Amino acid sequence: MSLTLQDIAWHQAVGRLIESLDRPGFWIALVRLLEQYVPFDSWVVLLFSSGRPQVFAECPGAGGGPDPLFQDYLRGLFQLDPFYIASRERHVGGLFRLADVAPECFEQTDYYQRYFRLNVVADEVQLNVPLECERTLCLSLGSKQPFTPDQLALLGLIQPWVAGLMRQRLAFEQELMASPPPAAPAWQEKLEAVGLQVESTLTTRELEVGKLMLSGCSSKEIARKLAISAETVKVHRKHIYSKLGIKSQSELFSLFLKAQEA
């Protein structure tokens, strides 16, 4: 089978990327190569673990500086990110689309309306490379338009090449790889720090249910994830609202945000 000019160009570009593996501009070079084949509007390279995400590289914000919404993400909103949750539940590699990992009610959440819709806008795909110690190296691509089936098929075709390059790059990211990730924010411990007088401490299970609610999981999805009944989920939700003195999921999200900032 003969090679096309596009095939030759791809192999030449990958060869140049291999030569630049040890250079500071590697991640930008990789992203620019992908842009030649699939259009996207934002990107970030992250390391997911049990702590806060660690950033290898990211696209600049609208003014050329750090994106304030992305800083909110790193402070704590990542805990509601469907991709982060999926990477912790299933430590596997591959190409994942938002539709593959988003909970049933994701678009109805405050997280989607107040962060995702503004920062990512329409669609997101993520290429995951599983590492030891339950860490995952991720390349996320965000788009203002849904990715088409042809674009997703192309990303799936080149995914082994990109994943291999990402893994090889880690040999030159020793400083970040060796540093422990910052601890994830402890929601329970910070509730009083924001001036909230709770009736009593939320249990571990109530905290789990609360985060799954905020991430967009329906009662049935929460029940399946936690191996409890849907009725038990409703009881936990009632207890959460009562203990925190709130009446809606939007109020719960606001408390969650305040706790991350404390």
Side-chain angles (χ1 to χ4, degrees), residues 148-209:
T148 68
D150 286 347
Q151 291 168 345
L152 293 170
L154 181 55
L155 285 171
L157 183 65
I158 64 178
Q159 178 263 330
W161 294 83
V162 179
L165 287 165
M166 291 170 63
R167 189 180 292 276
Q168 292 300 314
R169 170 65 185 180
L170 294 182
F172 307 101
E173 298 279 5
Q174 289 304 308
E175 182 177 351
L176 187 59
M177 292 297 295
S179 60
W187 187 16
Q188 176 69 68
E189 295 175 4
K190 292 186 175 182
L191 287 174
E192 292 187 6
V194 298
L196 180 67
Q197 299 299 317
V198 298
E199 179 181 323
S200 58
T201 302
L202 296 180
T203 66
T204 299
R205 180 49 57 89
E206 287 166 352
L207 288 169
E208 290 176 329
V209 170

Side-chain angles (χ1 to χ4, degrees), residues 29-50:
L30 174 60
V31 167
R32 286 175 177 169
L33 173 60
L34 294 177
E35 278 184 313
Q36 296 179 26
Y37 293 87
V38 176
F40 49 87
D41 299 290
S42 61
W43 60 273
V44 63
V45 183
L46 296 164
L47 186 66
F48 282 159
S49 66
S50 59

Side-chain angles (χ1 to χ4, degrees), residues 2-262:
S2 60
L3 293 175
T4 66
L5 291 177
Q6 191 176 33
D7 293 331
I8 295 172
W10 167 257
H11 285 83
Q12 288 177 335
V14 171
R16 290 192 293 271
L17 273 176
I18 292 173
E19 291 180 351
S20 70
L21 275 168
D22 61 342
R23 299 172 189 168
F26 168 78
W27 293 113
I28 293 177
L30 174 60
V31 167
R32 286 175 177 169
L33 173 60
L34 294 177
E35 278 184 313
Q36 296 179 26
Y37 293 87
V38 176
F40 49 87
D41 299 290
S42 61
W43 60 273
V44 63
V45 183
L46 296 164
L47 186 66
F48 282 159
S49 66
S50 59
R52 296 178 193 263
Q54 295 168 280
V55 182
F56 286 85
E58 62 178 296
C59 61
D67 184 342
L69 284 174
F70 186 60
Q71 298 309 305
D72 289 340
Y73 175 88
L74 294 176
R75 276 194 292 268
L77 282 178
F78 69 89
Q79 297 172 95
L80 308 181
D81 177 11
F83 290 99
Y84 173 79
I85 294 171
S87 76
R88 303 304 298 160
E89 292 178 344
R90 297 175 294 160
H91 189 233
V92 296
L95 182 71
F96 299 92
R97 186 182 177 184
L98 180 63
D100 299 328
V101 297
E104 182 179 344
C105 304
F106 178 63
E107 293 188 2
Q108 301 170 24
T109 63
D110 286 85
Y111 172 78
Y112 176 85
Q113 296 294 335
R114 294 165 61 176
Y115 172 79
F116 189 93
R117 186 173 59 86
L118 300 178
N119 201 43
V120 181
V121 179
D123 203 359
E124 184 177 3
V125 294
Q126 185 164 286
L127 196 156
N128 285 355
V129 179
L131 307 174
E132 60 183 8
C133 300
E134 296 188 352
R135 297 178 298 177
T136 305
L137 178 62
C138 313
L139 170 59
S140 290
L141 308 176
S143 174
K144 295 178 180 178
Q145 302 294 330
F147 289 100
T148 68
D150 286 347
Q151 291 168 345
L152 293 170
L154 181 55
L155 285 171
L157 183 65
I158 64 178
Q159 178 263 330
W161 294 83
V162 179
L165 287 165
M166 291 170 63
R167 189 180 292 276
Q168 292 300 314
R169 170 65 185 180
L170 294 182
F172 307 101
E173 298 279 5
Q174 289 304 308
E175 182 177 351
L176 187 59
M177 292 297 295
S179 60
W187 187 16
Q188 176 69 68
E189 295 175 4
K190 292 186 175 182
L191 287 174
E192 292 187 6
V194 298
L196 180 67
Q197 299 299 317
V198 298
E199 179 181 323
S200 58
T201 302
L202 296 180
T203 66
T204 299
R205 180 49 57 89
E206 287 166 352
L207 288 169
E208 290 176 329
V209 170
K211 286 183 180 179
L212 289 172
M213 286 167 50
L214 293 177
S215 71
C217 289
S218 65
S219 294
K220 289 184 178 179
E221 286 177 308
I222 296 173
R224 176 178 54 79
K225 286 176 179 286
L226 300 182
I228 58 180
S229 71
E231 288 302 316
T232 301
V233 173
K234 294 178 182 178
V235 170
H236 284 310
R237 181 170 63 235
K238 181 179 179 180
H239 288 168
I240 292 169
Y241 286 3
S242 176
K243 289 180 178 182
L244 298 180
I246 59 177
K247 297 181 180 180
S248 70
Q249 193 162 307
S250 290
E251 289 181 275
L252 182 63
F253 181 76
S254 295
L255 292 179
F256 180 85
L257 284 182
K258 289 179 180 178
Q260 313 316 310
E261 297 167 358

